[in-house]
Amino acid sequence: MDIGGTKIAGALVDRDGAMTATTRRPTPRGADGDTVFAAVAEVVAELARSPLWASAVRCGIGSAGPVDSALGTVSPVNIGAWRGFPVQARVEAELARHGLRIPTVLAGDGVAMTAAEHWLGAARGHANALCMVVSTGVGGGLVLNNQLHPGPTGNAGHIGHMSVAFDGEPCACGGRGCVESLASGTAIAAWALARGWVPAGDATAAGVAAAAAAGDPVALAAFDRAGRALAAAIAATATLVETDIAVIGGGVAASGDILFGPVREHLASYATLSFVKDLQVVPATLGTHAGLIGAAAAATMLLPS
């Protein structure tokens, strides 16, 4: 299951990562919690009609956060009706209603993306990896010694709220100088607009990226600032836990070298110790499939056979 602010998706995923019986519903807006969950229940019911349904052995639930995997609850920023919502227990009940009593696990979307990229994507073959989603927010997850490392509540690797600017602006989380407040798509666009960038129709980070590609100095500076923040956080993480690769996905990563160029350039100034100086920074490869594949991968990595 992949639960986000715009869609709720489900699939049966085999041991090779191939998806079958894929289905999705739009996430209800302006609805109460039960109405939102009704869309989840519809996805489960549709999957249950597959002839492969009875062969399912575990279930992964990837969700926008914050999540608390210890309690099985979610409070997604982009699903206002769910605050401390017991999504794991509710999904388990739906599975049982359709004849499946199998173990389940809840993972944040950054952790799910990490599991996906380690299983089948850009971090495959790396025992220690940091994977990041840079979009309207900045999230992430860690693989250490080939094991997914979600932490006690499922939030380990949440690099977006690592502080990289000691005197930085306050962040929405209550901290100061967080990566998300400097490098998210929202932050990139806001910073550029505040410094006189005039969008040619698209006032989002994608518009800033297009302007940067055309040589606009403010747009280029906005991405340089974001790249520096990401580089500092990636280097700090690698120094702490010795990751050797950082995988970046999400909408902002679609800007390609406009983002990756500054990240790699600044990384040389932060990742200087012998055991991190060869750190790779690469784009994610699984795109829109990362959520569902990642939920399945998290279930495989965190649950027994």
Side-chain angles (χ1 to χ4, degrees), residues 109-111 113-114 129-133 138-144 148-162 179 233 237 240-241 243 247:
D109 49 9
V111 171
M113 176 265 192
T114 299
L130 165 68
C131 298
M132 306 172 62
V133 180
V138 177
L142 290 166
V143 170
L144 302 176
L148 192 63
H149 183 74
T153 66
N155 291 288
H158 200 340
I159 195 169
H161 294 292
M162 177 184 289
V179 174
T237 302
L240 183 67
V241 295
T243 53
V247 177

Side-chain angles (χ1 to χ4, degrees), residues 101-180:
R101 297 185 183 279
I102 56 176
T104 64
V105 68
L106 171 65
D109 49 9
V111 171
M113 176 265 192
T114 299
E117 291 291 336
H118 183 258
W119 183 24
L120 297 174
R124 188 174 188 175
H126 291 266
N128 301 287
L130 165 68
C131 298
M132 306 172 62
V133 180
V134 183
S135 186
T136 52
V138 177
L142 290 166
V143 170
L144 302 176
N145 296 324
N146 281 315
Q147 299 294 315
L148 192 63
H149 183 74
T153 66
N155 291 288
H158 200 340
I159 195 169
H161 294 292
M162 177 184 289
S163 178
V164 292
F166 183 72
D167 295 320
E169 294 295 318
C171 177
C173 74
R176 184 176 291 275
C178 294
V179 174
E180 185 171 297

Side-chain angles (χ1 to χ4, degrees), residues 5-55:
T6 58
K7 59 112 174 44
I8 295 165
L12 300 178
V13 184
D14 71 18
R15 67 184 64 195
D16 298 317
M19 295 190 298
T20 60
T22 306
T23 186
R24 61 190 290 167
R25 295 288 188 279
T27 304
R29 296 192 176 278
D32 61 23
D34 286 339
T35 301
V36 175
F37 187 78
V40 178
E42 288 176 11
V43 168
V44 173
E46 187 164 335
L47 292 176
R49 291 194 282 271
S50 167
L52 297 173
W53 176 253
S55 63

Side-chain angles (χ1 to χ4, degrees), residues 5 120 204 245 290:
L120 297 174
T204 69
I245 190 169

Side-chain angles (χ1 to χ4, degrees), residues 181-182 184-197 203-205 208 218 222 225:
S181 69
L182 297 163
S184 70
T186 306
I188 290 169
W191 189 88
L193 287 166
R195 280 149 187 82
W197 172 63
T204 69
V208 181
V218 174
R225 177 176 180 264

